[in-house]
Amino acid sequence: MQLIILLAILRVTYSQKGVYLDEKVKNLQEIQKLLVRPLQEWMYRRPLINLNVDRWKTYVRSAPRNYSMVVMFTALSPNVNCAVCKSAYDEFYILANSYRYAYPELKALYFAIVDYDESPEIFQQMNLNVAPVLLHFPSKGAKKRTDQMDFERQGFDADSMAKFVFERTDIQIRVLRPPNYAAPAVVLLLAMLVLGLLYMRRNNLDFLYNRTSWALICLCVVFAFMSGQMWNHIHGPPFVMTRSHTRETSFIHGSTQYQLVAETYLVAVLYAAITAGFILMNDAADGKGDSGRRRIMAFVGLGLVVVFFSLLLSIFRSKYQGYPYSFLFH
C-alpha cells in the first residue's frame, strides 16, 4: 500500500515537472518570436539593421537566441576621416542585400551595423578602438577569436565577407552586385570617338597598317588585364587604404585576396618597365647600328629588367606572406 502511494506521488511530481518544462520551452519560443519579428521587419525594409544601445542589448547580447548576428563596427562620419570605412560599408551592404534576396524568409542570420558616432558606448563595451571591424555573434556559445574577420589579410570585399560568413554559419551567399552603367557608357563614348576620328581621316588610313601602333595598343591592354583592372571594375576597391589606428596610408594591400587601385597602377608600370627592358635588349641583339649604342641599349635594358622585376617580386612577397625568394629588394 505504501509503495502504491509513493508511486502515485512520484507520478504527480514528474507530471508537474513535465508541465513546467513544456511551459518553459513554450515561453522561450514566444520570446524568440518577439525577438525575431522586429528583425524580420527591419530586414524587409533594408538589409542592414542599425543598432543603437537598446537594440544591441536586446538583439545581440541577450540570451537565448536562435539566430546569428554579423555586425560591422564602423565610423562613417566625415569628421572621423576613415576612407576605408565607406568602402567596407558599401561591400557589407551588398552582401547583406544579396542575403536578403537569396533568403527572404530565413531567420537564422541577420546583418547589422554599429556607427561610432551614434553608439560609442558599444565600442567601449567591445574594447574596440579601430574601424571597420566585422564580428560574428553565434547563436550558441561564446564569441571566439576566429569570429572576427581579418580585413588586412582577407580583404573587405563582399565575396571575402561571404566566405567568412559561410565558414561560420554554413549559409552560402551568392553576391549580387548592382549593374554598373558607367563602364558601357564610357566604352560607347570611346567607340564613337574612334569612329569619328576614322571618319575625319577617311582619306588617309595608312596609320591603321602601322605595326608599332597596334603593338602598343596590345601591350596596353595586356598591362591593364595583368595588373588587375578588370578586378577593380568588378569589386570597386578604394584607391588607397589608411590604417585607422596608425593613420598610415598604404598603396599596396597586404592580402592575396584583395588589392587597391593604386596598387594596380604600380604593377602595370612595373610590367611596362620590364617589357621596355626586354625590348631594348632584343633590339641591341639584332646587330644593326653602332656597336657602342647597342651595348648601351643592352645594359640599360638589363638594368630595367633587373631593378623592376626585383620590385615586382618584392610586392609579391609583401602580399604572399612566407614567400621565400627575393632578388635585390626585400
Side-chain angles (χ1 to χ4, degrees), residues 38-40 113 129 134 261 303-304:
L39 294 177
Q40 286 292 120
I113 185 172
N129 54 8
L134 188 67
V261 175
L304 288 174

Side-chain angles (χ1 to χ4, degrees), residues 45 83 85 124 173 192 240 271 276 279 283 293 298 314 322 326:
R45 290 197 297 266
C85 292
Q124 295 175 2
I173 303 175
M192 293 175 62
V240 295
Y271 276 127
I279 292 175
D283 290 344
R293 180 173 175 271
S314 177
S326 63

Side-chain angles (χ1 to χ4, degrees), residues 124-196:
Q124 295 175 2
Q125 292 179 17
M126 298 299 297
N127 294 323
L128 296 176
N129 54 8
V130 297
V133 175
L134 188 67
L135 294 178
H136 167 245
F137 295 89
S139 58
K140 297 179 181 179
K143 183 175 67 67
K144 303 176 183 178
R145 180 178 297 180
T146 55
D147 286 325
Q148 178 174 344
M149 185 174 179
D150 187 355
F151 284 140
E152 294 187 3
R153 186 175 60 87
Q154 298 173 293
F156 51 80
D157 59 298
D159 296 283
S160 299
M161 294 182 191
K163 182 180 179 182
F164 170 81
V165 172
F166 174 71
E167 291 173 350
R168 282 145 189 85
T169 62
D170 291 331
I171 298 177
Q172 183 75 48
I173 303 175
R174 180 173 174 266
V175 177
L176 302 175
R177 295 185 176 274
N180 184 6
Y181 299 104
V186 171
V187 172
L188 180 61
L189 291 175
L190 183 61
M192 293 175 62
L193 178 63
V194 171
L195 292 176

